[in-house]
Amino acid sequence: MNYLDALVMHGPRLWDGLLLTLQLTVVSGLLAFVVAVVLGLMAGSTKLLVRLPARIIIEFFRGTSLLVQLMWLFYVLPLFGPSLGAMLVAIFALTLNYGAYGAEAVRASLTSVPQGQWEATAALSMSWPHKMRRIIFPQAWALMLPSLTNLWVHLLKGSSIVYIIGMSEFTFELLQLRRTTDWLFALAIVGLVVYFIIALVLTQLMRLFEARSKYKLGRGPSLKEILSPVLTNKISPADEPAAVAPGGAR
Amino acid sequence: MPTPTDAKPAMPVIEFRDVEKQFDTKTVLKELNFTIERGERVTLIGPSGSGKTTILRLVMTLEGLTDGYIYIDGAPLVYEQRDGKRVPVSKRQQKLLTTRIGMVFQQFNLFPNMTVLENIIEAPIHVLGINKRDAIDRAHQLLEKVGLPDKTDAHPTALSGGQQQRVAIARALAMDPEILLLDEVTSALDPEVVVDVLQVLRDVAATTDVTMLIVTHEMSFARDVSHRVMMLDGGKIIESADPETIFTNPAKERTKKFLAAVLRDA
Ligand SMILES: Nc1ncnc2c1ncn2[C@@H]1O[C@H](COP(=O)(O)OP(=O)(O)OP(=O)(O)O)[C@@H](O)[C@H]1O
Ligand SMILES: [Mg+2]
């Protein structure tokens, strides 16, 4: 069987595997973001009763491996609790695991917002939710995005581990294909390229968010300026965006 | 010499009673007692580390109070006495009082994620509940007052230090504070723009009856706008008098020495 035939024959299964990988990456990624923000805010609290539970959850999920978490949830939990099914278990474990790492990034970036900003919100008698939503978080956002992007790419690659609870994601299907051909090298390249492309899309997407958040803080060009060479196929003078004052930022 | 606008003679607008402040084991303020009347403008002077900033930060509740009591318009700000015990006041009560207090910082601390206008209207709308239209009108008036009517939509990072500080003053005034705390608001500025910022403050002093508690090294400014100057040393007020007396004929040798040193450096 030649390589192309094998690829065509396995095409549908590879495609399904790819979709599952993407599903896990996007769904767990978004949920992990929510978990990271909630735990990160809690972990940054001055109140021990708020901080402690967050710390316990963060340290637990960072301190035990994803593999073990998956096995516990999938094989052990059903022995004395509910059986959640592979998809739920996979999303649950990926979400909490990467959410715990993300929480550290969120907490660290909140503490990096200058003390003076916190004091200015206090001098204006802003409530906690108000200052967080309108002042502190938007500034921390620009700081946390690079770490969150990294974690998201890790999640993409790390999601292949769900094969151990019987889920046929992309890497698994690729390895299946290997059994019927000896095109190990070629297959490895397919895997490499596919993961690389997905990761590239994720990081570029996140870089746009990052640029936008920086522009809102008065640092760097606007999204329009960044995208204009792409959209209009023109190269804009490199020194122009920095020279214009980012007035009217919303 | 200016005199305080005499409103109700009743309550002092700020009262420190036996205030003590420690950082870890270091006592910065001890048995500090003073009152400030409504509409009074008081300047704190004293050597570095004498506790001037700490006093302002205690009033703004940016620092915890180790012992004693602070009253705003007669109401306890941090702790109150109840059944002979010292108990913390409710968060609600504290917020009610702190909304009447505004502060301008040495480092401006404008919000970089907002335009000048947004910086000014944010708290009036969301903390005081003023409607947006009115808040914007008021912001325009204030920007006019501080000499920056054309900077409404500018970004703080696009402004000079002096301009940022004038926006910060407008932001504080937009809350209509009864008390305005100013901590070395010109210390981070280039000498040429210091005079602009001080002019704005002189103007505020002349046209409003907001109570001001000022920390500054600008002695001529202090002399012009203050009703009273308090000399602080080692966490204690060693002398308190009208600026004329303090600057020309201080009672304490320590004050005389301090002023001689400051005026020589200036
Ligand atoms: N957060 C803090 N932790 C520990 N010590 C502090 C802290 N803040 C202030 N201090 C100490 O308290 C003392 C008074 O400080 P404060 O800032 O009130 O002085 P100051 O009169 O404003 O001085 P300066 O003229 O230099 O601004 C100083 O000895 C300072 O080191
Ligand atoms: Mg100071």
Tab-separated table of all heavy atoms in Angstrom, chain B residues 203-241:
chain	number	residue	atom	x	y	z
B	203	ASP	N	-5.493	78.280	42.469
B	203	ASP	CA	-6.805	78.616	41.948
B	203	ASP	C	-7.904	77.824	42.663
B	203	ASP	O	-8.940	78.371	43.039
B	203	ASP	CB	-6.798	78.298	40.432
B	203	ASP	CG	-8.059	78.765	39.761
B	203	ASP	OD1	-8.478	79.901	40.068
B	203	ASP	OD2	-8.625	77.996	38.962
B	204	VAL	N	-7.651	76.524	42.864
B	204	VAL	CA	-8.613	75.702	43.600
B	204	VAL	C	-8.789	76.253	45.011
B	204	VAL	O	-9.907	76.382	45.514
B	204	VAL	CB	-8.140	74.231	43.660
B	204	VAL	CG1	-9.022	73.408	44.590
B	204	VAL	CG2	-8.124	73.616	42.262
B	205	ALA	N	-7.676	76.621	45.634
B	205	ALA	CA	-7.734	77.164	46.993
B	205	ALA	C	-8.541	78.462	47.034
B	205	ALA	O	-9.312	78.703	47.956
B	205	ALA	CB	-6.322	77.396	47.518
B	206	ALA	N	-8.370	79.268	45.995
B	206	ALA	CA	-9.020	80.581	45.998
B	206	ALA	C	-10.506	80.486	45.672
B	206	ALA	O	-11.288	81.326	46.105
B	206	ALA	CB	-8.321	81.498	44.994
B	207	THR	N	-10.892	79.480	44.893
B	207	THR	CA	-12.269	79.466	44.386
B	207	THR	C	-13.165	78.419	45.047
B	207	THR	O	-14.358	78.374	44.775
B	207	THR	CB	-12.294	79.200	42.858
B	207	THR	OG1	-11.604	77.976	42.593
B	207	THR	CG2	-11.632	80.326	42.089
B	208	THR	N	-12.609	77.546	45.876
B	208	THR	CA	-13.459	76.562	46.558
B	208	THR	C	-13.177	76.626	48.053
B	208	THR	O	-12.205	77.251	48.473
B	208	THR	CB	-13.152	75.113	46.095
B	208	THR	OG1	-11.848	74.755	46.557
B	208	THR	CG2	-13.224	74.990	44.591
B	209	ASP	N	-14.042	75.988	48.846
B	209	ASP	CA	-13.749	75.951	50.280
B	209	ASP	C	-13.406	74.536	50.724
B	209	ASP	O	-13.657	74.136	51.849
B	209	ASP	CB	-14.907	76.531	51.097
B	209	ASP	CG	-16.204	75.802	50.812
B	209	ASP	OD1	-16.187	74.864	49.990
B	209	ASP	OD2	-17.222	76.170	51.418
B	210	VAL	N	-12.831	73.749	49.764
B	210	VAL	CA	-12.427	72.402	50.120
B	210	VAL	C	-11.295	72.441	51.163
B	210	VAL	O	-10.398	73.275	51.086
B	210	VAL	CB	-12.016	71.608	48.855
B	210	VAL	CG1	-10.898	72.281	48.113
B	210	VAL	CG2	-11.652	70.176	49.186
B	211	THR	N	-11.423	71.581	52.146
B	211	THR	CA	-10.384	71.460	53.169
B	211	THR	C	-9.170	70.784	52.540
B	211	THR	O	-9.316	69.794	51.849
B	211	THR	CB	-10.890	70.589	54.333
B	211	THR	OG1	-12.121	71.137	54.809
B	211	THR	CG2	-9.872	70.523	55.457
B	212	MET	N	-7.991	71.355	52.764
B	212	MET	CA	-6.812	70.744	52.149
B	212	MET	C	-5.775	70.374	53.200
B	212	MET	O	-5.479	71.161	54.093
B	212	MET	CB	-6.153	71.715	51.160
B	212	MET	CG	-6.939	71.966	49.900
B	212	MET	SD	-5.885	72.910	48.775
B	212	MET	CE	-7.059	73.317	47.511
B	213	LEU	N	-5.252	69.173	53.050
B	213	LEU	CA	-4.121	68.746	53.866
B	213	LEU	C	-2.984	68.492	52.883
B	213	LEU	O	-3.085	67.635	52.005
B	213	LEU	CB	-4.494	67.475	54.643
B	213	LEU	CG	-3.526	67.013	55.718
B	213	LEU	CD1	-3.129	68.143	56.652
B	213	LEU	CD2	-4.150	65.884	56.523
B	214	ILE	N	-1.938	69.302	53.023
B	214	ILE	CA	-0.912	69.372	51.984
B	214	ILE	C	0.451	68.964	52.530
B	214	ILE	O	0.836	69.377	53.632
B	214	ILE	CB	-0.807	70.836	51.454
B	214	ILE	CG1	-2.180	71.328	50.960
B	214	ILE	CG2	0.245	70.957	50.363
B	214	ILE	CD1	-2.256	72.840	50.773
B	215	VAL	N	1.156	68.155	51.769
B	215	VAL	CA	2.573	67.918	52.055
B	215	VAL	C	3.350	68.474	50.864
B	215	VAL	O	3.069	68.107	49.720
B	215	VAL	CB	2.884	66.421	52.219
B	215	VAL	CG1	4.388	66.209	52.400
B	215	VAL	CG2	2.126	65.846	53.399
B	216	THR	N	4.251	69.377	51.120
B	216	THR	CA	5.005	69.961	50.005
B	216	THR	C	6.356	70.494	50.466
B	216	THR	O	6.546	70.803	51.642
B	216	THR	CB	4.210	71.101	49.323
B	216	THR	OG1	4.933	71.579	48.198
B	216	THR	CG2	3.952	72.251	50.284
B	217	HIS	N	7.267	70.543	49.524
B	217	HIS	CA	8.552	71.198	49.797
B	217	HIS	C	8.592	72.591	49.184
B	217	HIS	O	9.602	73.277	49.270
B	217	HIS	CB	9.702	70.353	49.241
B	217	HIS	CG	9.845	69.045	49.955
B	217	HIS	ND1	10.051	68.966	51.310
B	217	HIS	CD2	9.792	67.770	49.517
B	217	HIS	CE1	10.124	67.693	51.673
B	217	HIS	NE2	9.957	66.943	50.595
B	218	GLU	N	7.484	72.978	48.533
B	218	GLU	CA	7.411	74.304	47.921
B	218	GLU	C	6.966	75.302	48.988
B	218	GLU	O	5.783	75.514	49.216
B	218	GLU	CB	6.413	74.287	46.763
B	218	GLU	CG	6.728	73.294	45.675
B	218	GLU	CD	7.923	73.722	44.837
B	218	GLU	OE1	8.204	74.949	44.793
B	218	GLU	OE2	8.582	72.850	44.243
B	219	MET	N	7.940	75.909	49.648
B	219	MET	CA	7.612	76.703	50.827
B	219	MET	C	6.832	77.980	50.496
B	219	MET	O	5.986	78.406	51.272
B	219	MET	CB	8.887	77.039	51.601
B	219	MET	CG	9.496	75.809	52.250
B	219	MET	SD	8.327	74.972	53.353
B	219	MET	CE	9.044	73.343	53.473
B	220	SER	N	7.111	78.570	49.336
B	220	SER	CA	6.379	79.805	49.038
B	220	SER	C	4.909	79.481	48.750
B	220	SER	O	4.014	80.221	49.140
B	220	SER	CB	7.011	80.546	47.867
B	220	SER	OG	6.895	79.782	46.696
B	221	PHE	N	4.685	78.348	48.109
B	221	PHE	CA	3.311	77.881	47.886
B	221	PHE	C	2.627	77.628	49.226
B	221	PHE	O	1.500	78.088	49.472
B	221	PHE	CB	3.346	76.605	47.037
B	221	PHE	CG	2.027	75.896	46.922
B	221	PHE	CD1	1.006	76.428	46.154
B	221	PHE	CD2	1.820	74.683	47.576
B	221	PHE	CE1	-0.213	75.760	46.040
B	221	PHE	CE2	0.605	74.022	47.463
B	221	PHE	CZ	-0.403	74.562	46.703
B	222	ALA	N	3.318	76.917	50.111
B	222	ALA	CA	2.763	76.617	51.431
B	222	ALA	C	2.405	77.912	52.162
B	222	ALA	O	1.344	78.042	52.772
B	222	ALA	CB	3.770	75.813	52.245
B	223	ARG	N	3.275	78.859	52.058
B	223	ARG	CA	3.086	80.127	52.746
B	223	ARG	C	1.870	80.881	52.198
B	223	ARG	O	1.100	81.480	52.950
B	223	ARG	CB	4.342	80.960	52.536
B	223	ARG	CG	4.429	82.138	53.444
B	223	ARG	CD	5.807	82.712	53.345
B	223	ARG	NE	5.891	83.898	54.188
B	223	ARG	CZ	7.031	84.392	54.617
B	223	ARG	NH1	8.172	83.820	54.287
B	223	ARG	NH2	7.034	85.468	55.378
B	224	ASP	N	1.682	80.792	50.869
B	224	ASP	CA	0.587	81.535	50.251
B	224	ASP	C	-0.784	80.918	50.491
B	224	ASP	O	-1.750	81.635	50.692
B	224	ASP	CB	0.805	81.624	48.728
B	224	ASP	CG	1.994	82.491	48.399
B	224	ASP	OD1	2.489	83.176	49.322
B	224	ASP	OD2	2.433	82.489	47.242
B	225	VAL	N	-0.857	79.581	50.397
B	225	VAL	CA	-2.196	78.995	50.439
B	225	VAL	C	-2.625	78.485	51.812
B	225	VAL	O	-3.813	78.284	52.047
B	225	VAL	CB	-2.376	77.833	49.416
B	225	VAL	CG1	-2.102	78.296	48.002
B	225	VAL	CG2	-1.531	76.644	49.803
B	226	SER	N	-1.675	78.277	52.734
B	226	SER	CA	-2.060	77.623	53.990
B	226	SER	C	-2.632	78.616	54.986
B	226	SER	O	-2.219	79.768	55.055
B	226	SER	CB	-0.859	76.952	54.655
B	226	SER	OG	-0.064	76.304	53.716
B	227	HIS	N	-3.588	78.111	55.767
B	227	HIS	CA	-4.013	78.859	56.948
B	227	HIS	C	-3.110	78.519	58.125
B	227	HIS	O	-2.963	79.289	59.059
B	227	HIS	CB	-5.447	78.486	57.332
B	227	HIS	CG	-6.441	78.745	56.230
B	227	HIS	ND1	-7.121	77.756	55.593
B	227	HIS	CD2	-6.845	79.907	55.661
B	227	HIS	CE1	-7.925	78.284	54.674
B	227	HIS	NE2	-7.763	79.586	54.689
B	228	ARG	N	-2.555	77.324	58.049
B	228	ARG	CA	-1.778	76.842	59.194
B	228	ARG	C	-0.709	75.890	58.686
B	228	ARG	O	-0.907	75.187	57.696
B	228	ARG	CB	-2.721	76.099	60.150
B	228	ARG	CG	-2.132	75.663	61.455
B	228	ARG	CD	-3.212	75.645	62.546
B	228	ARG	NE	-4.301	74.729	62.226
B	228	ARG	CZ	-4.370	73.470	62.673
B	228	ARG	NH1	-3.417	72.996	63.453
B	228	ARG	NH2	-5.380	72.705	62.362
B	229	VAL	N	0.429	75.890	59.348
B	229	VAL	CA	1.512	74.967	59.009
B	229	VAL	C	1.838	74.150	60.255
B	229	VAL	O	1.950	74.698	61.348
B	229	VAL	CB	2.766	75.734	58.530
B	229	VAL	CG1	3.920	74.770	58.270
B	229	VAL	CG2	2.459	76.551	57.289
B	230	MET	N	1.940	72.823	60.044
B	230	MET	CA	2.293	71.973	61.180
B	230	MET	C	3.670	71.375	60.928
B	230	MET	O	3.916	70.776	59.889
B	230	MET	CB	1.264	70.848	61.364
B	230	MET	CG	-0.129	71.357	61.655
B	230	MET	SD	-1.202	70.133	62.461
B	230	MET	CE	-1.436	68.943	61.180
B	231	MET	N	4.534	71.547	61.885
B	231	MET	CA	5.895	71.013	61.776
B	231	MET	C	5.951	69.662	62.484
B	231	MET	O	5.624	69.538	63.660
B	231	MET	CB	6.873	72.003	62.419
B	231	MET	CG	8.282	71.467	62.607
B	231	MET	SD	9.213	71.344	61.042
B	231	MET	CE	10.627	70.389	61.623
B	232	LEU	N	6.340	68.656	61.706
B	232	LEU	CA	6.369	67.291	62.217
B	232	LEU	C	7.821	66.856	62.414
B	232	LEU	O	8.669	67.106	61.567
B	232	LEU	CB	5.726	66.386	61.169
B	232	LEU	CG	4.927	65.191	61.632
B	232	LEU	CD1	3.675	65.662	62.351
B	232	LEU	CD2	4.552	64.338	60.426
B	233	ASP	N	8.079	66.203	63.527
B	233	ASP	CA	9.422	65.641	63.708
B	233	ASP	C	9.309	64.389	64.573
B	233	ASP	O	8.668	64.424	65.633
B	233	ASP	CB	10.351	66.668	64.355
B	233	ASP	CG	11.803	66.209	64.280
B	233	ASP	OD1	12.151	65.470	63.341
B	233	ASP	OD2	12.587	66.586	65.176
B	234	GLY	N	9.896	63.306	64.082
B	234	GLY	CA	9.856	62.051	64.835
B	234	GLY	C	8.444	61.593	65.156
B	234	GLY	O	8.166	61.051	66.218
B	235	GLY	N	7.516	61.820	64.218
B	235	GLY	CA	6.149	61.336	64.408
B	235	GLY	C	5.323	62.174	65.363
B	235	GLY	O	4.242	61.782	65.768
B	236	LYS	N	5.820	63.344	65.717
B	236	LYS	CA	5.056	64.232	66.603
B	236	LYS	C	4.947	65.622	65.972
B	236	LYS	O	5.851	66.052	65.240
B	236	LYS	CB	5.779	64.363	67.946
B	236	LYS	CG	5.586	63.199	68.867
B	236	LYS	CD	5.716	63.740	70.276
B	236	LYS	CE	5.464	62.768	71.394
B	236	LYS	NZ	5.157	61.438	71.207
B	237	ILE	N	3.848	66.311	66.273
B	237	ILE	CA	3.734	67.690	65.818
B	237	ILE	C	4.420	68.570	66.861
B	237	ILE	O	3.952	68.667	67.996
B	237	ILE	CB	2.258	68.089	65.643
B	237	ILE	CG1	1.668	67.289	64.488
B	237	ILE	CG2	2.132	69.581	65.375
B	237	ILE	CD1	0.185	67.365	64.390
B	238	ILE	N	5.521	69.149	66.468
B	238	ILE	CA	6.264	69.909	67.474
B	238	ILE	C	5.875	71.384	67.454
B	238	ILE	O	6.140	72.109	68.407
B	238	ILE	CB	7.802	69.756	67.296
B	238	ILE	CG1	8.248	70.258	65.917
B	238	ILE	CG2	8.232	68.313	67.514
B	238	ILE	CD1	9.743	70.449	65.832
B	239	GLU	N	5.240	71.812	66.360
B	239	GLU	CA	4.833	73.205	66.312
B	239	GLU	C	3.731	73.362	65.279
B	239	GLU	O	3.773	72.756	64.210
B	239	GLU	CB	6.038	74.085	65.930
B	239	GLU	CG	5.724	75.555	65.961
B	239	GLU	CD	6.988	76.425	65.892
B	239	GLU	OE1	8.096	75.872	65.779
B	239	GLU	OE2	6.832	77.656	65.941
B	240	SER	N	2.747	74.171	65.595
B	240	SER	CA	1.635	74.393	64.675
B	240	SER	C	1.220	75.853	64.774
B	240	SER	O	0.830	76.315	65.843
B	240	SER	CB	0.474	73.475	65.049
B	240	SER	OG	-0.676	73.824	64.323
B	241	ALA	N	1.330	76.573	63.661
B	241	ALA	CA	1.010	78.004	63.710
B	241	ALA	C	0.694	78.504	62.310
B	241	ALA	O	0.843	77.769	61.323
B	241	ALA	CB	2.193	78.788	64.280
